Amino acid sequence: MAINLSNYLNGSGQLKQQVNNSSDSAAMQILKNAGNTSAVSDSSTGNLLLKNMLAGETFTGLVLGVKGSQVSLAMGDKTTLTASLYDNVQLQTGQTVTFIVEENNNNHIKIKPMETADQQAFIINKALEGAGLPLTKDNILIIKELFSLNMPVSAEKITEMIHLATAFPDSDYHTLANMLRLEIPVTQENIIQ
């Protein structure tokens, strides 16, 4: 069972940017000021969620702080949790990271960040699954192009890109996505220009 909580965290670029520029205690204050007061006080729910996860399950969280091998994370459902890192991993406050549960034995839980390539594959799979679309080479390329242009990767945008790629098969995904991003009408004439 994969839990994707990044939508909440990524939906507020301002909050994420503020957290990126702050210390551990300041990050907690920013979450409080953003109307996320239960995120700071509800660690029991987050820790219970983690205890119920099996090895191999994934989740995404915003790093609030790291002390030794312990990491504190803000979750998308307004909770926090603290977990042990599996290896000596370097994390920074403000990072949004997808983790995998490595161990969950007798209340001994260890997590580790997924490798960057694995995170991208995980996010692509979840985006296509959420859009109800198959995992095909073209669909993957479309999502990668949306990512590269910092565009939303929603079912609506993916479907719109698929329709445009079908309507204009001689155009590359970069051109089509750029036109969408810049809100330029997608016509053959505009594509040529």
Side-chain angles (χ1 to χ4, degrees):
M1 174 177 95
I3 299 173
N4 185 356
L5 301 171
S6 62
N7 291 342
Y8 176 80
L9 297 171
N10 292 336
S12 177
Q14 182 180 16
L15 173 63
K16 186 175 174 185
Q17 184 60 38
Q18 287 177 343
V19 172
N20 280 335
N21 297 330
S22 53
S23 66
D24 292 351
S25 60
M28 297 294 272
Q29 188 61 42
I30 290 166
L31 287 172
K32 285 181 184 177
N33 292 342
N36 220 1
T37 53
S38 62
V40 177
S41 62
D42 195 5
S43 62
S44 61
T45 303
N47 290 332
L48 180 62
L49 170 73
L50 186 59
K51 285 180 183 180
N52 289 321
M53 296 181 90
L54 302 173
E57 289 189 83
T58 60
F59 65 96
T60 302
L62 177 70
V63 177
L64 295 176
V66 180
K67 290 184 181 166
S69 66
Q70 298 291 307
V71 61
S72 296
L73 303 169
M75 307 301 287
D77 59 355
K78 299 181 182 181
T79 61
T80 62
L81 63 85
T82 302
S84 296
L85 293 170
Y86 188 71
D87 288 323
N88 191 13
V89 178
Q90 298 297 318
L91 296 174
Q92 294 183 356
T93 300
Q95 280 182 289
T96 300
V97 181
T98 301
F99 293 90
I100 186 165
V101 177
E102 283 291 317
E103 276 180 38
N104 191 349
N105 299 323
N106 300 325
N107 293 327
H108 185 68
I109 303 164
K110 287 196 172 188
I111 63 173
K112 78 173 189 180
M114 293 177 72
E115 297 294 326
T116 304
D118 293 338
Q119 282 190 47
Q120 185 179 37
F122 173 77
I123 292 168
I124 288 170
N125 288 340
K126 286 296 172 191
L128 288 173
E129 183 181 302
L133 296 168
L135 186 67
T136 65
K137 180 182 171 185
D138 287 331
N139 289 348
I140 291 169
L141 291 174
I142 286 171
I143 291 175
K144 284 182 177 182
E145 193 59 49
L146 293 173
F147 279 145
S148 75
L149 295 172
N150 292 321
M151 294 177 66
V153 181
S154 63
E156 179 183 316
K157 283 290 181 209
I158 297 167
T159 304
E160 190 173 1
M161 279 292 295
I162 290 170
H163 289 308
L164 290 173
T166 303
F168 302 99
D170 295 332
S171 299
D172 60 58
Y173 295 135
H174 183 74
T175 301
L176 297 173
N178 253 325
M179 292 178 77
L180 278 179
R181 182 176 64 90
L182 298 171
E183 298 179 1
I184 297 171
V186 182
T187 64
Q188 192 61 46
E189 296 79 29
N190 287 344
I191 291 171
I192 292 169
Q193 288 181 6

